[in-house]
Amino acid sequence: MTTPNDRHWHRSTLREVRRAVRAQRERQGLIGQSLYLGTLGLVFVLPVVAATYIGLWIDEKLPGYSVRGTLSGIVAGIAIGALNVYLIIRERP
């Protein structure tokens, strides 16, 4: 004969086992985490570098713009890179 405590213990144990199995399946390894962080780094750095070079090119083409284009490119690149990182993190389950 089973008592209410036995049934409660069985349900709670079963729930814990299911949670542990789900966590094991969803756990990423070291390589997966490294790839994710590398991707975040690239989607942040590439817009910064691209916008900086565009700003530098603008500075070289237009007289009187010594560093305004480069600084504007850096600021714009940081903003775009931060937005990219935010969007990628938001999409991850």
Side-chain angles (χ1 to χ4, degrees):
M1 177 171 185
T2 60
T3 64
N5 278 344
D6 290 340
R7 280 183 258 149
H8 175 69
W9 179 81
H10 179 68
R11 276 187 296 211
S12 65
T13 304
L14 188 59
R15 187 173 35 241
E16 289 295 319
V17 168
R18 286 181 182 153
R19 188 175 63 93
V21 168
R22 185 173 14 132
Q24 182 69 25
R25 260 186 287 154
E26 294 174 357
R27 192 179 84 185
Q28 284 187 341
L30 180 62
I31 293 176
Q33 290 175 354
S34 298
L35 287 173
Y36 182 69
L37 289 175
T39 301
L40 289 180
L42 279 176
V43 299
F44 181 77
V45 169
L46 288 179
V48 174
V49 171
T52 302
Y53 277 117
I54 290 171
L56 185 62
W57 178 78
I58 289 172
D59 285 341
E60 291 174 353
K61 294 295 179 189
L62 299 174
Y65 287 91
S66 59
V67 293
R68 270 191 239 162
T70 304
L71 292 177
S72 298
I74 291 171
V75 171
I78 289 172
I80 293 168
L83 179 65
N84 286 342
V85 169
Y86 169 75
L87 292 174
I88 288 177
I89 290 174
R90 190 178 72 170
E91 287 179 7
R92 186 170 184 184

